[in-house]
Amino acid sequence: MIDALDQRPIAAEAEQYNARLVRRVDETDSLAYFWVKFDGEPTPFEAGQYMTIGVMVDDRIVQRPYSVASAPAAIGTEGYEFYVRLVQGGTFTPLLWRLPVGHPMRMIGPKGKFMLQPDDDRTHVFISSGTGNAPFVAMMRQLLIEGRPRPVVFLNGVSHAHELGYRTIVEDWERSGTYPVRYLPTVSRPADPRNATWSGRTGRVETILGPTLDELGLSPADSIAYICGNPDMILSAEQTLLERGYPEEQVLKELYWPKGKEPRGAVGAADAAANADE
């Protein structure tokens, strides 16, 4: 769904370009997976980090950071995978939606400190909203390649069931036993006709966190939490965890938000943030 009102000219060539869009798969009309590959050798990164991608418009770079969903071991062949939501009237995503495969781009990075703690075999509670599930997919993909997957409870909240990105992949891991994961998606608008066939959990992901911990018998003694998504969700989920006795060092978080709309109380969050647009 391209913004017909966005007619900004995207430079076909620019000295700043060092990569190109090599693949795209649409999940919905406003959610898509994009793969961007460096023209030269790939830059190593750790699962959970983000890259900044952009294009030249009117002699200036327009760019945004996005968490990488690829396994670090796969970037040499596949490129860096990003899961992105189109924001109508946004600064960058309407440009990205207009790019044909093969178009050159600018990519820099990696950055970020939202990474797995080393040698931790506790149950990992991954809590995400929308496209915030991307870094968790990268983490799990890499752990599978390394042959040492960690037990995961994977919570992802969206408004509508068709927006559950990576659903097929994670459900296949769970069903086949390829990865020791319990996948628990939730939709926040169960009464919407678009969710008529949904029979899973309902409510915002932060509201199902406490009941899920109780249901699975998880506590600070045997689990660690990672949170990525919109800032209000993260602050709410973090509060739930702290109230249940999780120490701050057992609650890792990556915040993202539109520029200039940072929530109060978000000081101390991880480096800026993935999946933002204006």
Side-chain angles (χ1 to χ4, degrees):
M1 183 172 61
I2 298 176
D3 187 345
L5 298 178
D6 192 320
Q7 300 296 324
R8 291 172 293 167
I10 304 171
E13 300 292 340
E15 62 180 14
Q16 292 87 350
Y17 289 160
N18 61 351
R20 65 189 58 249
L21 179 65
V22 295
R23 184 186 175 198
R24 169 181 173 172
V25 174
D26 289 273
E27 179 76 21
T28 71
D29 59 1
S30 60
L31 288 165
Y33 309 93
F34 297 87
W35 286 259
V36 181
K37 194 171 184 181
F38 280 116
D39 294 332
E41 292 298 311
T43 300
F45 78 102
E46 292 191 46
Q49 291 188 299
Y50 60 87
M51 305 290 286
T52 298
I53 56 175
V55 291
M56 292 296 295
V57 176
D58 294 329
D59 296 322
R60 71 181 185 92
I61 190 75
V62 179
Q63 60 189 2
R64 289 291 179 270
Y66 296 97
S67 294
V68 183
S70 312
I75 56 174
T77 55
E78 301 175 3
Y80 301 75
E81 179 182 337
F82 307 101
Y83 183 39
V84 184
R85 176 183 293 277
L86 171 64
V87 178
Q88 291 293 336
T91 300
F92 176 67
T93 56
L95 299 171
L96 179 61
W97 248 250
R98 289 166 48 200
L99 290 185
V101 170
H103 196 286
M105 301 184 72
R106 172 71 172 170
M107 182 163 61
I108 56 174
K111 290 186 177 181
K113 300 177 182 178
F114 187 66
M115 297 169 287
L116 290 172
Q117 299 296 295
D119 303 318
D120 190 339
D121 59 3
R122 292 174 291 186
T123 296
H124 287 40
V125 183
F126 289 162
I127 308 153
S128 60
S129 59
T131 57
N133 56 4
F136 300 138
V137 172
M139 293 171 181
M140 297 169 74
R141 283 172 163 169
Q142 184 63 27
L143 289 171
L144 276 175
I145 290 172
E146 296 173 359
R148 50 188 186 92
R150 304 175 184 184
V152 165
V153 175
F154 196 125
L155 283 72
N156 183 219
V158 295
S159 297
H160 308 102
H162 68 275
E163 298 172 329
L164 287 167
Y166 298 108
R167 178 181 179 182
T168 300
I169 292 173
V170 182
E171 284 184 338
D172 284 348
W173 285 340
E174 180 179 33
R175 185 182 305 110
S176 65
T178 301
Y179 197 105
V181 58
R182 180 77 178 271
Y183 180 53
L184 301 174
T186 182
V187 300
S188 62
R189 300 178 183 177
D192 190 302
R194 285 171 288 183
N195 288 323
T197 61
W198 177 253
S199 60
R201 299 179 185 234
T202 60
R204 297 175 67 86
V205 69
E206 62 268 34
T207 66
I208 73 164
L209 174 57
T212 297
L213 295 175
D214 292 337
E215 176 186 335
L216 301 180
L218 294 173
S219 71
D222 56 17
S223 60
I224 182 170
Y226 292 75
I227 322 174
C228 183
N230 76 70
D232 294 324
M233 180 280 287
I234 290 180
L235 296 178
S236 179
E238 178 185 33
Q239 186 62 32
T240 294
L241 293 162
L242 295 178
E243 290 174 353
R244 287 172 170 261
Y246 284 78
E248 290 187 5
E249 62 271 18
Q250 257 174 260
V251 181
L252 294 90
K253 53 191 184 293
E254 177 79 302
L255 294 167
Y256 63 84
W257 48 71
K259 184 178 179 182
K261 296 184 180 179
E262 297 85 349
R264 300 173 109 186
V267 176
D271 296 22
N275 305 315
D277 192 22
E278 292 179 355

